[in-house]
Amino acid sequence: MKRSFNLLFLTCLIYSCQKPTEAPFRPIKNVIVILADDHALKVTGAYGNDLIRTPNIDRLANEGVRFTNAYCNSPICSASRQSLLTGKYPHATGVNLLFTPFPDEGNVTIAEYLRDQGFQTALVGKSYFNNGFWSQLYTDGLPNHGFDTWIENASYQDF
């Protein structure tokens, strides 16, 4: 055990002393996060439903990363979504009620992180940021929370 730990420590030390490369290595080309509301765990074939046919979602689940142990940080959808997007508890994001606007100040979303790493980001569907309800609070326009492209309710329903 001690030998394994020493080997791990030595490997980390050597790696940390290396000169950084000029361009970061990015083996991942696409990151897709799919969120859905109001359904039980076994709503798709990938999660064990034998009756409902969901071949495209099942293929994505089989070829990507599938979470089998997930817990909700809040029983309120908007607070839970902002928690997931930031990695922070709802009280730390500033959103803990249904119609609380999602403050841009002090919150870094996964979209902002990925955008800063050179990815293009998009949000398709309902955001539940609730900023539109409080648009008069934003004198410089609504925050985009790191999303380059937004296709929300009215737009995607046109398709």
Side-chain angles (χ1 to χ4, degrees):
M1 179 73 172
K2 186 175 179 183
R3 183 174 182 201
S4 296
F5 178 78
N6 288 339
L7 182 60
L8 177 63
F9 176 77
L10 182 61
T11 303
C12 291
L13 182 63
I14 291 169
Y15 181 74
S16 66
C17 292
Q18 293 178 349
K19 290 174 76 176
T21 59
E22 290 181 22
F25 177 67
R26 281 190 19 202
I28 298 174
K29 294 184 181 187
N30 298 302
V31 176
I32 299 173
V33 178
I34 299 173
L35 302 176
D37 280 0
D38 304 324
H39 61 75
L41 172 68
K42 292 187 176 183
V43 75
T44 64
Y47 286 96
N49 191 314
D50 294 330
L51 298 175
I52 298 175
R53 304 290 180 230
T54 54
N56 294 324
I57 293 291
D58 297 347
R59 191 181 79 241
L60 278 172
N62 289 331
E63 294 175 6
V65 176
R66 184 169 47 99
F67 295 97
T68 57
N69 295 313
Y71 303 91
C72 185
N73 284 322
S74 173
I76 299 169
C77 61
S78 54
S80 187
R81 286 172 191 265
Q82 275 57 283
S83 180
L84 181 70
L85 286 172
T86 61
K88 296 162 68 175
Y89 286 113
H91 71 276
T93 67
V95 179
N96 51 18
L97 299 172
L98 186 59
F99 289 106
T100 306
F102 181 42
D104 200 31
E105 179 90 19
N107 287 309
V108 177
T109 66
I110 188 173
E112 289 170 304
Y113 177 80
L114 290 172
R115 183 193 58 203
D116 292 347
Q117 300 301 312
F119 287 87
Q120 293 179 348
T121 61
L123 182 145
V124 180
K126 299 186 281 186
S127 69
Y128 289 104
F129 291 141
N130 298 324
N131 297 338
F133 294 117
W134 302 96
S135 58
Q136 70 274 15
L137 298 176
Y138 302 99
T139 56
D140 296 330
L142 296 176
N144 66 14
H145 301 295
F147 294 100
D148 300 318
T149 302
W150 283 61
I151 302 173
E152 283 206 281
N153 292 357
S155 299
Y156 76 77
Q157 288 177 356
D158 289 342
F159 290 102

